[in-house]
Amino acid sequence: MSEGPAGVQETVLEVSGLCTELGPQDKPVRAVDGVDLHLHRGETFVLVGESGCGKSMIALSLMRLLPSTGRVVQGEVRLQGRSLLDLPEVEMRRERGGGIGMIFQEPMTSLNPVMSVGKQVAEAVELHDPAHAASPRARVLELFRQVGIPDPERRIDEYPHQLSGGMKQRVMIAMALAGRPGVLIADEPTTALDVTIQAQVLQLLRDLQAETGMGILLITHDLGVVAEMADRVGVMYAGQLVETAAVGSFFKQPRHPYSRKLFRSLPDAGKRELGLDIIKGMVPPLNQAFDLCRFRDRCEAAQAVCGERLPPWQGDPQDGYRCHLAVDRIELQASESARHAPAAADAGQPLMAASDLRVHFPIRKGVLRRTVGFVKAVDGLDLALYPGRTLALVGESGCGKTTVGKALLQLLRASGGRVDYDGANLTQLRGESLRRLRREFQIIFQDPASSMNPRMLVGDIVAEGLRAQGIAGDRRAEQARVLQLLDQVGLPASSVGRYPHEFSGGQRQRIAIARALAVKPRLVVCDEPTSALDVSVQAQVLNLLKTLQAELDLSYLFITHNISVVAYLADEVAVMYLGRIVERGPVERVLNAPAHPYTQALLASVPVPDPDDRREVLRLEGDMPSPANPPTGCHFHERCPRAEARCRREYPARFELEPQHEVSCWLYAQRD
Amino acid sequence: MRLSLLILLLWLIAALAGVVLPLRPDEIDLEQLFAPPTGGDAWLGRDELGRSLGARLLDGAGISLLVASVTVLISAALGTLIGALAGYLGGWWDRVISRLIEVFLAFPGLLLAIALAAFLGPGIDNVIMALSVMGWVGYARLARNQVLSLRQREHVLAAVALGRRTPDVIRLHLLPLMLAPLLVEASYGIASAVIAEAGLSFLGLGVQPPQASWGAMIREGVRYLLVAPHLVLVPGAALSLVVLAANLFGDGLRDRLDVTSRNRR
């Protein structure tokens, strides 16, 4: 089975009928339910699915690293013909890292902070590479070079905190490669990384695979990563594989209704006028035995038969889907359209405008906490927000975009510059006059879990602004307004008496939106409001934000790192790098004809959900410099492939390429 | 949790009984020196002066409860106030208070309490004072850290963004979330106050003879450990039970107060 005749692909990993349960024996949660998959030599199989679908549990079951409450109750795992589930623990330890390498999502927490990275990799070499066990250093250096760590002789003695996130993930990969495994399991290896770094790591994984011929089992929630990496795809839903296919045919014609809905809920420029598809309802709890299709309640194409018995697997085990219906009989309704207000050609007067805004955080040292320097999180930034329009502020983590949002709303006080709102300079306002004005501009945060007081009822959370501003009137009027707001964001009235933790992430984000809308603001800063959410839930929240904008003529500052959300939602884009805006313009101009080399690289790094579009352009090397000590001249010149002598000396002036489209780059100097 | 609550309740009843019942903990009966816990007329036996151990135990329960609860109340209130101020005001206030907390933490607590009690002279009120002077530091440090981390939370920012006044932000968004860890700390504080009182009394710095306290009973009993071990075992067992119960209660409280861990999902 594992070794076929020449010409037939060699199977390195074979999983059949895998069932994994979690929790107490008497009422278990079946996290993985009957999963079959094959991984060939030199092949990348990608498991894709939303959070809680069981994809990580598969990886942990294979490695026999399940949490103490978990157990594999059925099934077989064969690694190059050897049954892993029957191995004694001693031999299994040899397979982990030897036969199968694994890398995890969080490079920040998967390394030991008090041990040099070289030692940590050497540990893996000593365990799994007898030839080099006696003196592992040379082999570690070789591995470091292999994973593209620059200056390995110096890096080998450094500690994890001295390395950036991307470098740490490279160290993790080096560790996984130490035993020359035939199979590499990568569980969301780039989710915690910025897109430019993600592009580097994905490229590295592909190069290493070509070099070593290992099979990669990649786990992700990002269809863009799937398109970029996969040879074959498996879609997980509620603990089961619902579709497997070769990547080309999957992206051309996904078969299972769930796969199709996933695609239709992805935001992109083409859906601007339409709104995104949503998947209604929630994933069913897995602590039950299913005797009918587990997607039925959420499926628009469901027929009578779907509620009668379990759906059969149609097609080949390697290329099929789990559904009662034939592909051409699956009919999905057109999307529930979000209302989209066409942006007025003439935007008129800005609602809020920042000029030369600066936020510097002092770096203090010593017993007396003397200021020895500044982190220039925002360093001279101009932007304007117009009623009824959306400005997207785009950039990688650490570029200062969140700080901008907080400084505009005076949640952080600026170190310099001004923020004008309705004729007042907000940075000069204090006390009661500022407090009164706060109802006009609101903020929605990224993490709906921490943005709500866990000890307050949802009704009190939504009513908080009404009470703070004294605009509710009596209790009955307040109650009525709260119910109206909940209805507006699509939550039942019964939510009032419940606590935030009883809601899912998407529902919590709706509560946060209702809270912000309660005071009837004219401007809302949305700080990564969907990046903690799954795509189908993200679609609901984006639709809601768009509909609300059309209804209430809201102005949005949309802070995000997700380019496809920008394409779907924004009217204007501003790209930020190290505390400053490097390019700004109308969304279709910036996304289709980016001018600044950083914007070009950022856009090129975003994985696109289309396997025919595996671009090989402008991969950025290196990491973002520290905002405490930015490079002289143009902040970007160290990473810029087109840098000239002038870029090292002077920060570029701002050039207008055409009306509204501005870029700060010396490349455009001659046009001036 | 239930068992520990029961024991703490018994402690309270014992303390009340010591006040309400017509006990005579100081009555000497020289004919029944060292009467064993079983067989004699007195419940739990008699000590080296023929005093009833049961009566003295109940009397001592009152002392330990008084010292523990007053000490914890004073130090928790004082510490929370000072720590929360340091965390909220920041800047110079924070630096001065933090240094002060560190100075206090640098001393071994009990040693300083001993020195203080020796300086102030023996007596229950001085024991309470000495223990409170040492006790506030832990609460202050906890409250300061709580305020510092909670201030960064997004619901606090959201409340500010909605235009809540500062006192309301503190009352609605900081205090309720600080309360849980402070209550847990306080329940552990009860245990350590009981031990500290017993220790000070054991050293002769707490209650003075002939008044009974668990620590004092142990001190006097130690001399007759080989002849009449129950003199030490009876107050020792009571002390251990109460301390254990207070600690278990603290653990239970911590688990109970975590709203999200109680019924997640």
Side-chain angles (χ1 to χ4, degrees):
Chain A
M1 168 177 46
S2 68
E3 262 153 72
V8 175
Q9 280 172 314
E10 178 193 347
T11 303
V12 285
L13 182 71
E14 189 182 2
V15 177
S16 44
L18 184 73
C19 293
T20 301
E21 288 184 349
L22 295 173
Q25 300 269 6
D26 47 336
K27 34 178 190 182
V29 170
R30 189 161 272 214
V32 179
D33 194 4
V35 165
D36 302 298
L37 59 90
H38 296 253
L39 182 66
H40 302 300
R41 208 179 129 71
E43 179 195 53
T44 303
F45 185 85
V46 179
L47 276 176
V48 63
E50 299 185 283
S51 50
C53 70
K55 52 194 195 302
S56 287
M57 279 302 147
I58 292 184
L60 295 175
S61 304
L62 298 187
M63 295 294 274
R64 286 179 40 191
L65 287 173
L66 285 169
S68 56
T69 57
R71 65 216 158 259
V72 174
V73 289
Q74 249 179 61
E76 221 182 357
V77 177
R78 289 187 168 274
L79 178 72
Q80 285 166 335
R82 258 154 64 93
S83 171
L84 286 189
L85 297 180
D86 303 326
L87 285 185
E89 183 60 27
V90 187
E91 285 182 47
M92 186 61 210
R93 271 209 298 271
R94 216 169 293 146
E95 294 298 333
R96 283 187 208 120
I100 311 184
M102 184 157 179
I103 48 179
F104 301 89
Q105 175 173 351
E106 281 286 346
M108 326 317 172
T109 54
S110 10
L111 287 167
N112 181 345
V114 296
M115 203 171 166
S116 73
V117 289
K119 276 222 178 84
Q120 297 186 51
V121 178
E123 224 176 23
V125 172
E126 284 162 20
L127 285 170
H128 298 295
D129 191 354
H132 295 91
S135 55
R137 195 179 170 89
R139 171 72 179 142
V140 173
L141 285 173
E142 188 188 321
L143 282 166
F144 273 25
R145 272 184 216 107
Q146 201 180 359
V147 297
I149 295 177
D151 200 2
E153 281 83 2
R154 189 166 59 89
R155 291 296 187 192
I156 193 170
D157 293 318
E158 290 193 336
Y159 288 84
H161 71 268
Q162 294 169 291
L163 304 180
S164 66
M167 279 304 141
K168 275 185 252 190
Q169 197 59 296
R170 282 169 194 269
V171 171
M172 285 304 296
I173 295 172
M175 208 184 290
L177 290 178
R180 297 190 177 88
V183 175
L184 181 70
I185 299 178
D187 187 357
E188 303 262 15
T190 56
T191 307
L193 305 175
D194 280 315
V195 278
T196 58
I197 310 298
Q198 162 168 298
Q200 294 171 8
V201 171
L202 294 180
Q203 181 66 45
L204 172 68
L205 286 176
R206 276 201 301 268
D207 293 346
L208 290 170
Q209 183 176 40
E211 212 173 297
T212 64
M214 62 189 174
I216 297 182
L217 178 64
L218 182 76
I219 293 169
T220 185
H221 66 278
D222 185 338
L223 286 169
V225 172
V226 178
E228 191 119 325
M229 295 294 290
D231 297 311
R232 288 188 303 121
V233 192
V235 181
M236 293 281 298
Y237 180 76
Q240 284 188 322
L241 271 175
V242 293
E243 177 164 1
T244 36
V247 70
S249 60
F250 177 70
F251 278 84
K252 242 173 244 115
Q253 168 71 302
R255 286 167 291 188
H256 196 277
Y258 175 66
S259 322
R260 294 193 190 186
K261 288 298 267 187
L262 275 186
F263 276 100
R264 292 167 69 158
S265 63
L266 277 184
D268 68 41
K271 296 173 187 151
R272 282 179 73 92
E273 313 299 322
L274 294 172
L276 304 171
D277 259 26
I278 57 165
I279 305 177
K280 60 189 179 192
M282 295 210 286
V283 181
L286 299 180
N287 55 2
Q288 52 181 326
F290 290 91
D291 48 11
L292 39 85
C293 174
R294 51 188 77 185
F295 188 60
R296 183 190 69 133
D297 290 342
R298 310 178 69 189
C299 184
E300 291 157 9
Q303 311 270 328
V305 62
C306 304
E308 283 161 12
R309 52 181 189 274
L310 285 172
W313 183 264
Q314 299 199 43
D316 189 71
Q318 306 285 331
D319 186 8
Y321 64 110
R322 192 184 298 278
C323 185
H324 287 291
L325 308 175
V327 177
D328 49 9
R329 287 199 51 212
I330 300 174
E331 280 170 25
L332 302 175
Q333 292 150 17
S335 56
E336 159 227 324
S337 66
R339 263 205 270 162
H340 176 73
D346 176 30
Q349 283 294 307
L351 190 59
M352 183 183 268
S355 47
D356 198 26
L357 185 68
R358 262 180 286 237
V359 184
H360 294 180
F361 297 106
I363 305 170
R364 297 181 197 276
K365 280 225 168 93
V367 188
L368 294 174
R369 320 295 299 149
R370 252 195 283 271
T371 304
V372 295
F374 289 96
V375 174
K376 295 172 181 168
V378 180
D379 196 24
L381 175 128
D382 305 318
L383 56 79
L385 299 165
Y386 296 90
R389 293 171 66 95
T390 302
L391 170 69
L393 190 60
V394 183
E396 295 179 278
S397 55
C399 73
K401 53 191 193 302
T402 293
T403 310
V404 171
K406 289 181 181 165
L408 286 179
L409 301 197
Q410 307 306 311
L411 296 172
L412 274 173
R413 300 319 290 249
S415 325
R418 49 187 298 141
V419 177
D420 288 296
Y421 181 87
D422 218 9
N425 179 3
L426 294 184
T427 58
Q428 300 296 323
L429 280 185
R430 291 272 181 283
E432 194 64 8
S433 44
L434 176 61
R435 198 185 71 77
R436 286 269 145 218
L437 208 52
R438 283 194 182 282
R439 60 179 292 188
E440 307 255 323
F441 33 88
Q442 284 301 309
I443 184 163
I444 300 166
F445 295 99
Q446 169 176 359
D447 181 6
S450 86
S451 70
M452 268 169 268
N453 187 337
R455 297 192 174 279
M456 275 165 81
L457 294 169
V458 168
D460 294 325
I461 291 172
V462 174
E464 176 146 36
L466 302 175
R467 292 174 194 163
Q469 298 284 356
I471 47 181
D474 59 359
R475 271 206 77 78
R476 186 173 301 163
E478 180 189 293
Q479 185 76 6
R481 174 86 176 118
V482 167
L483 291 180
Q484 182 212 340
L485 285 160
L486 287 174
D487 183 55
Q488 205 165 11
V489 299
L491 287 173
S494 61
S495 315
V496 168
R498 293 163 69 190
Y499 285 99
H501 71 262
E502 299 173 50
F503 293 85
S504 70
Q507 289 171 324
R508 270 184 252 175
Q509 203 56 291
R510 288 160 186 266
I511 299 171
I513 293 172
R515 171 177 66 186
L517 291 180
V519 292
K520 297 191 174 149
R522 293 159 71 192
L523 183 148
V524 180
V525 172
C526 306
D527 188 355
E528 305 257 17
T530 60
S531 53
L533 306 175
D534 281 317
V535 275
S536 63
V537 181
Q538 163 175 291
Q540 298 172 12
V541 172
L542 292 179
N543 281 351
L544 176 64
L545 286 173
K546 208 158 183 171
T547 307
L548 290 171
Q549 180 170 45
E551 280 175 15
L552 306 171
D553 200 30
L554 293 171
S555 169
Y556 287 145
L557 174 66
F558 204 93
I559 299 170
T560 185
H561 64 273
N562 187 333
I563 303 292
S564 51
V565 171
V566 174
Y568 170 69
L569 203 71
D571 301 303
E572 262 191 302
V573 187
V575 181
M576 223 177 143
Y577 187 77
L578 220 58
R580 296 189 184 174
I581 288 177
V582 296
E583 179 167 2
R584 167 220 327 265
V587 64
E588 62 280 5
R589 292 290 310 157
V590 175
L591 295 191
N592 298 329
H596 197 282
Y598 176 65
T599 316
Q600 294 168 355
L602 190 70
L603 294 178
S605 306
V606 177
V608 181
D610 179 358
D612 299 331
D613 188 19
R614 292 191 183 173
R615 304 121 307 122
E616 290 291 340
V617 270
L618 254 186
R619 300 269 179 219
L620 270 194
E621 294 304 320
D623 298 297
M624 193 184 297
S626 155
N629 188 17
T632 53
C634 175
H635 291 346
F636 186 59
H637 81 256
E638 288 174 348
R639 300 172 76 192
C640 182
R642 302 168 71 181
E644 300 160 4
R646 190 180 190 183
C647 305
R648 285 178 253 285
R649 290 194 314 268
E650 293 172 70
Y651 193 84
R654 206 182 293 161
F655 303 103
E656 190 166 60
L657 301 179
E658 53 191 272
Q660 318 284 325
H661 189 180
E662 292 174 344
V663 60
S664 296
C665 180
W666 288 125
L667 286 176
Y668 301 91
Q670 59 274 27
R671 294 201 196 175
D672 205 21
Chain B
M1 186 79 178
R2 283 220 193 107
L3 185 68
S4 59
L5 251 172
L6 185 73
I7 296 174
L8 291 180
L9 204 66
L10 278 177
W11 183 31
L12 184 72
I13 292 170
L16 289 177
V19 180
V20 177
L21 294 182
L23 296 171
R24 281 161 301 173
D26 302 336
E27 194 184 55
I28 295 173
D29 184 349
L30 292 176
E31 286 180 11
Q32 299 202 57
L33 298 187
F34 303 120
T38 48
D41 63 329
W43 185 62
L44 292 178
R46 291 181 182 272
D47 69 0
E48 78 276 14
L49 293 173
R51 295 176 294 194
S52 159
L53 269 186
R56 289 184 73 75
L57 194 74
L58 294 185
D59 201 31
I63 300 283
S64 61
L65 185 69
L66 180 76
V67 171
S69 48
V70 176
T71 304
V72 166
L73 267 181
I74 293 180
S75 37
L78 201 68
T80 307
L81 185 72
I82 295 176
L85 276 179
Y88 204 84
L89 296 175
W92 269 103
W93 282 100
D94 186 31
R95 272 173 241 169
V96 171
I97 293 173
S98 299
R99 287 305 95 77
L100 192 70
I101 291 176
E102 280 161 23
V103 167
F104 267 88
L105 283 174
F107 282 101
L110 197 58
L111 206 64
L112 196 72
I114 290 170
L116 212 63
F119 174 74
L120 293 170
I124 298 174
D125 42 354
N126 287 343
V127 167
I128 291 176
M129 209 184 294
L131 292 180
S132 302
V133 165
M134 287 318 300
W136 68 273
V137 197
Y139 302 96
R141 190 178 48 165
L142 187 65
R144 174 178 174 272
N145 293 348
Q146 285 286 318
V147 169
L148 282 182
S149 79
L150 288 174
R151 275 191 83 178
Q152 299 304 316
R153 284 178 64 114
E154 288 175 344
H155 66 82
V156 179
L157 274 183
V160 174
L162 284 165
R164 278 280 192 204
R165 292 184 175 86
T166 306
D168 288 339
V169 173
I170 297 178
R171 184 170 58 85
L172 293 165
H173 288 276
L174 294 179
L175 275 182
L177 297 185
M178 278 166 65
L179 216 54
L182 282 169
L183 272 177
V184 174
E185 176 84 2
S187 65
Y188 294 134
I190 289 178
S192 53
V194 170
I195 293 189
E197 182 273 326
L200 288 179
S201 295
F202 181 82
L203 294 171
L205 295 168
V207 300
Q208 294 302 298
Q211 206 181 3
S213 129
W214 293 350
M217 286 167 74
I218 294 175
R219 176 184 52 168
E220 284 155 24
V222 161
R223 277 179 278 174
Y224 310 99
L225 192 60
L226 294 177
V227 194
H230 63 283
L231 262 53
V232 173
L233 289 182
V234 167
L239 187 67
S240 315
L241 270 180
V242 164
V243 170
L244 184 70
N247 276 316
L248 288 178
F249 178 70
D251 288 344
L253 203 60
R254 183 191 54 208
D255 298 342
R256 189 61 76 87
L257 287 175
D258 192 350
V259 190
T260 43
S261 76
R262 212 187 311 158
N263 44 358
R264 182 169 278 162
R265 237 156 259 250

